[in-house]
Amino acid sequence: MTPTIKDIAARAGISYATVSRALNEKYGVSRETREKVKALAEEMGYRPNAIAQGLVNRTTMTVGLIIPDITNPFYPRLALGIEDRLLKAGYNVFLCNTSWNPDRERDYLNNLVQKQVDGIIISSIAHHADDIESIIPSDMPLVYVSSYPEDTERSYVLIDNIKGADMAVSHLLFRKRRRIAFIGSQQEYHSLEDRLSGYRKALKRAGIEVSEDMVVLDKFQEQSGYKIIRELLEKGTIPDGVFAENDIIAMGVVQGVQDSGYRVPEDVAVIGFDDIPIASHPDIQLSTIHQPKYRIGSYAAEILLNQLIQDPSERRTERMTLQPELIVRRSS
Amino acid sequence: MTPTIKDIAARAGISYATVSRALNEKYGVSRETREKVKALAEEMGYRPNAIAQGLVNRTTMTVGLIIPDITNPFYPRLALGIEDRLLKAGYNVFLCNTSWNPDRERDYLNNLVQKQVDGIIISSIAHHADDIESIIPSDMPLVYVSSYPEDTERSYVLIDNIKGADMAVSHLLFRKRRRIAFIGSQQEYHSLEDRLSGYRKALKRAGIEVSEDMVVLDKFQEQSGYKIIRELLEKGTIPDGVFAENDIIAMGVVQGVQDSGYRVPEDVAVIGFDDIPIASHPDIQLSTIHQPKYRIGSYAAEILLNQLIQDPSERRTERMTLQPELIVRRSS
DNA sequence: GATTCATCCTTAAACGTTTACGATACTTCT
DNA sequence: AGAAGTATCGTAAACGTTTAAGGATGAATC
């Protein structure tokens, strides 16, 4: 249907190998035929078959991006940073949304190696490096972004979650809160754990004992914050501050607090994490820890690109930990 | 590196053609060798090279999805509906974000055909069908979603934009508004035009003349609503109702109205389009026209899948126009 | 006039699969 | 026993491209 180099060769009266070299600017073809070939290619609407090229070149100019939740505004911006950077370098990206499903993450990884992607960027929900790295060839470039399994040797780009959480909780402490809850989702996500340990760290430093019924994790994301805080309040466990795993959950918490007849921030101060766009809306004004989402994405892409051009033997792992930023708004 | 069927064949002491047939459950291989081959494949960690398969099968189990703005919460949900449906059928998706850039849309289309995708779903910003359909092979399945060029013969899935806009404006009229503005972005987007004509239609039916300074389009998306309404108000052009192209813009309008010292909805009633999740937030309460985003996506995927299994000759164009739903909230 | 050399092109193999066809051996039938 | 059929496997071509190696041509050198 669409013309191949053989079609061009036939019309030009030369062999298709010459056509290939002409189009790829290789040596050994005269200016004359090169121009003739190019004109013909243009005229016939020739477009190289990337699949065939991929087979012989052993590179597909394609990378896989695995994220847990495209519905959380954090990830689209991250993905945008990645896509923009990779596109500039000529790569396309397979976007894979796992919806927090570890099986789906595994399946997608398998899929991506079968599809011969050149590299993978992943915001993983797996706990162990092996869950991921045993699936992919050991020489396949991989960079973790925003979350990673702690026993990995690979590159990653992420915010300092411990420090960010520490800052958030310290801020609540500064606001004279003493009964500070941590509310999150039950997903096995390494950044969750770091945020949790940052939470513990800050409380410990302040000499406050962490009461375990103040740490509540729930199965789902979207409605988690709302549900959890309402249950807490009804049970009579009344925190005066809440640090939520992320802004989506934090917004649920704020709603829940208000619907239970309490005031934010007077009765319960709330702070989230991520600084998604809506958090700064005048009618929302959610305090949070800022993450430079787009930048994190483009850094991750940059690191992957470095690995892509390097010899596997001399690949170094590059790790970036970006500094979080406290954003104080009305909710605290 | 990773084993191929030849490696398996060598270890099994048979030809690689037989290995292929064994793994693909084809006739002509004994139970015995089939099982031996499968065991070996499992043991050696064999995974078929999808690129090589793609070359011979002339199908890549891959589809391209082109959207203008992953940053607008409308699209991730649309994409999710598409991805979920396609994944179930074994397809992977290239997500392509054009950032409202027509050149980038064109480049991506080219890219996708070179990458030999089996089909394309696109929320296009192009005006003419030719801008898109001249790029792709005529037998390549394509379905438009949420927006489409009006001179196309292809399938599409979208909301009835004219009717939705009509409903929105009629609602404002019902609220006794007479000076109703339309605020949108300047992107060439067909759904924009339909919404604009729905706006005109409703006004006309009510016997209200459309004043052209009440229709304002701006270049960008995110800040458009805010900027435009503030300029309008400062110019002394004070609408008592605003229909915005989408919820993102509508939210900007609400902010702008309030920052200019007017009240929503008392002085200016505002209604948007899409019903993105945040619109229902208790502190936002934006009136809007609901779109079933996830469902639109999965319908589009369904239609594409139908085309993928059909013979190109007997492909019928399927067009779905979903009914919009008016959601009245505090902003009107 | 033979040799060398550069230039331009062709041949052929390779990438990892699938699949039509042919070959072989074994069964079954007459 | 010979013919015919069946089950199993191998050979080879094909998908569209890149690229190493080699061949042809003509010009330059001696």
Side-chain angles (χ1 to χ4, degrees), chain B residues 31 46 54 58 113-114 136 167 170 206 215 278 289 305:
Chain B
R31 239 174 69 94
Y46 169 74
R58 319 181 74 84
V113 333
Q114 287 192 208
I136 67 173
M167 287 165 72
S170 296
V215 175
I278 195 67
I289 302 295
L305 288 171

Side-chain angles (χ1 to χ4, degrees), chain B residues 27 89 143 169 197-199 201 237 256 269 275-276 279 323 326:
Chain B
Y27 286 117
V143 2
V169 174
S197 64
Y199 161 83
K201 188 172 159 191
T237 316
D275 195 20
I276 59 178
Q323 287 316 298
L326 174 68

Side-chain angles (χ1 to χ4, degrees), chain B residues 5 17 20 24 26 46 53:
Chain B
I5 49 174
S20 172
N24 293 329
K26 293 272 157 97
Y46 169 74
Q53 289 178 321

Side-chain angles (χ1 to χ4, degrees), chain A residues 14-15 17-18 21 28 30 33 58:
Chain A
I14 56 180
S15 82
T18 305
R21 270 169 313 152
S30 69
T33 60
R58 317 181 75 83

Side-chain angles (χ1 to χ4, degrees), chain B residues 14-305:
Chain B
I14 57 179
S15 83
Y16 62 86
T18 305
V19 173
S20 172
R21 270 171 313 191
L23 294 174
N24 293 329
E25 303 288 347
K26 293 272 157 97
Y27 286 117
V29 30
S30 69
R31 239 174 69 94
E32 202 180 9
T33 60
R34 182 185 302 279
E35 276 164 12
K36 184 164 75 171
V37 165
K38 282 192 178 170
L40 265 176
E42 171 79 11
E43 181 198 330
M44 301 171 68
Y46 169 74
R47 274 170 300 181
N49 182 323
I51 293 297
Q53 289 178 321
L55 189 56
V56 28
N57 291 337
R58 319 181 74 84
T59 165
T60 52
M61 297 306 279
T62 290
V63 335
L65 169 60
I66 303 184
I67 58 175
D69 187 4
I70 198 182
T71 265
N72 181 334
F74 173 79
Y75 292 102
R77 288 203 136 69
L78 184 79
L80 189 58
I82 292 173
E83 189 200 9
D84 280 353
R85 181 66 192 87
L86 289 180
L87 183 62
K88 242 186 270 177
Y91 287 84
N92 287 116
V93 6
F94 278 118
L95 182 72
C96 309
N97 185 276
T98 63
S99 299
W100 301 105
N101 182 344
D103 293 336
R104 196 157 149 175
E105 178 169 300
R106 194 174 27 73
D107 289 348
Y108 262 134
L109 277 169
N110 236 306
N111 229 300
L112 290 175
V113 333
Q114 287 192 208
K115 291 256 164 94
Q116 311 293 121
V117 295
D118 294 337
I120 293 177
I121 298 180
I122 181 172
S123 185
S124 177
I125 57 178
H127 233 64
H128 300 291
D130 248 21
D131 295 340
I132 293 160
E133 293 164 26
S134 67
I135 299 183
I136 67 173
S138 59
D139 60 344
M140 176 174 283
L142 170 78
V143 2
Y144 293 102
V145 63
S146 158
S147 187
Y148 70 106
E150 55 185 327
D151 52 347
T152 185
E153 304 282 324
R154 301 292 199 130
S155 299
Y156 57 67
V157 179
L158 38 80
I159 203 92
D160 189 332
N161 283 299
I162 298 181
K163 186 163 170 192
D166 192 339
M167 287 165 72
V169 174
S170 296
H171 165 67
L172 293 178
L173 289 167
F174 177 76
R175 287 280 196 254
K176 304 270 178 285
R177 308 305 160 127
R178 287 299 172 269
R179 301 175 41 73
I180 300 175
F182 179 90
I183 294 183
S185 67
Q186 216 172 24
Q187 312 301 343
E188 305 233 332
Y189 202 49
H190 192 264
S191 62
L192 162 67
E193 285 167 37
D194 279 352
R195 289 175 198 177
L196 190 45
S197 64
Y199 161 83
R200 292 184 201 278
K201 188 172 159 191
L203 289 186
K204 197 168 169 191
R205 186 181 333 104
I208 298 181
E209 196 184 350
V210 179
S211 143
E212 280 313 319
D213 51 339
M214 279 293 187
V215 175
V216 191
L217 305 180
D218 188 53
K219 215 170 177 188
F220 302 107
Q221 285 263 319
E222 288 230 345
Q223 295 303 326
S224 282
Y226 187 83
K227 229 186 64 194
I228 293 178
I229 190 68
R230 294 218 63 171
E231 283 173 10
L232 267 185
L233 294 174
E234 263 167 43
K235 255 194 349 201
T237 316
I238 319 246
D240 54 9
V242 172
F243 169 47
E245 181 192 348
N246 62 40
D247 286 351
I248 296 287
I249 294 175
M251 286 172 60
V253 169
V254 171
Q255 270 188 247
V257 169
Q258 289 168 341
D259 284 4
S260 293
Y262 296 89
R263 290 162 308 161
V264 175
E266 293 82 354
D267 301 321
V268 186
V270 178
I271 186 166
F273 207 111
D274 288 351
D275 195 20
I276 59 178
I278 195 67
S280 61
H281 189 283
D283 296 334
I284 303 286
Q285 291 280 12
L286 180 71
S287 295
T288 188
I289 302 295
H290 178 77
Q291 289 206 59
K293 299 159 270 301
Y294 187 93
R295 253 178 52 218
I296 292 178
S298 54
Y299 285 149
E302 193 69 40
I303 291 180
L304 187 77
L305 288 171

Side-chain angles (χ1 to χ4, degrees), chain A residues 178-193:
Chain A
R178 287 299 172 267
R179 300 173 44 73
I180 300 175
F182 179 89
I183 294 183
S185 67
Q186 215 174 25
Q187 312 300 344
E188 305 232 333
Y189 202 48
H190 192 264
S191 63
L192 163 66
E193 287 168 34

Side-chain angles (χ1 to χ4, degrees), chain A residues 25-225:
Chain A
E25 304 288 347
K26 293 270 158 97
Y27 285 117
V29 31
S30 69
R31 241 175 66 97
E32 202 180 8
T33 60
R34 182 184 304 277
E35 276 163 11
K36 183 162 79 173
V37 166
K38 283 192 178 170
L40 264 176
E42 173 79 9
E43 180 199 331
M44 300 169 71
Y46 169 75
R47 273 168 303 179
N49 182 324
I51 293 297
Q53 288 179 320
L55 190 56
V56 29
N57 290 337
R58 317 181 75 83
T59 166
T60 53
M61 297 306 279
T62 290
V63 334
L65 170 60
I66 302 184
I67 58 174
D69 187 3
I70 198 181
T71 264
N72 181 333
F74 174 78
Y75 292 101
R77 288 202 137 67
L78 184 78
L80 189 59
I82 292 172
E83 189 200 9
D84 281 353
R85 182 64 192 89
L86 288 181
L87 183 61
K88 241 186 269 174
Y91 287 84
N92 287 115
V93 4
F94 278 118
L95 183 71
C96 308
N97 185 277
T98 65
S99 299
W100 298 105
N101 181 344
D103 293 337
R104 195 156 151 176
E105 179 170 298
R106 194 174 27 73
D107 289 347
Y108 261 133
L109 276 168
N110 236 305
N111 229 301
L112 290 175
V113 329
Q114 287 191 210
K115 290 256 164 93
Q116 311 293 119
V117 295
D118 294 337
I120 292 177
I121 298 180
I122 182 172
S123 185
S124 177
I125 57 178
H127 232 64
H128 301 292
D130 249 22
D131 296 340
I132 293 160
E133 293 164 27
S134 69
I135 300 183
I136 67 172
S138 58
D139 60 342
M140 176 174 282
L142 170 78
V143 1
Y144 292 103
V145 64
S146 158
S147 186
Y148 70 106
E150 53 184 329
D151 52 347
T152 186
E153 304 282 323
R154 302 291 199 131
S155 299
Y156 58 65
V157 179
L158 38 79
I159 203 90
D160 189 333
N161 283 298
I162 298 182
K163 187 165 171 190
D166 192 337
M167 288 165 70
V169 175
S170 295
H171 164 68
L172 293 177
L173 289 167
F174 177 75
R175 287 277 196 256
K176 304 270 177 282
R177 309 305 159 126
R178 287 299 172 267
R179 300 173 44 73
I180 300 175
F182 179 89
I183 294 183
S185 67
Q186 215 174 25
Q187 312 300 344
E188 305 232 333
Y189 202 48
H190 192 264
S191 63
L192 163 66
E193 287 168 34
D194 277 352
R195 288 174 199 177
L196 190 46
S197 61
Y199 160 83
R200 293 184 200 278
K201 189 172 159 189
L203 289 185
K204 198 169 169 191
R205 188 184 328 106
I208 298 181
E209 196 184 351
V210 179
S211 143
E212 280 312 318
D213 51 339
M214 279 293 186
V215 175
V216 192
L217 305 180
D218 188 54
K219 217 170 175 185
F220 302 107
Q221 285 265 317
E222 288 230 346
Q223 295 303 327
S224 282

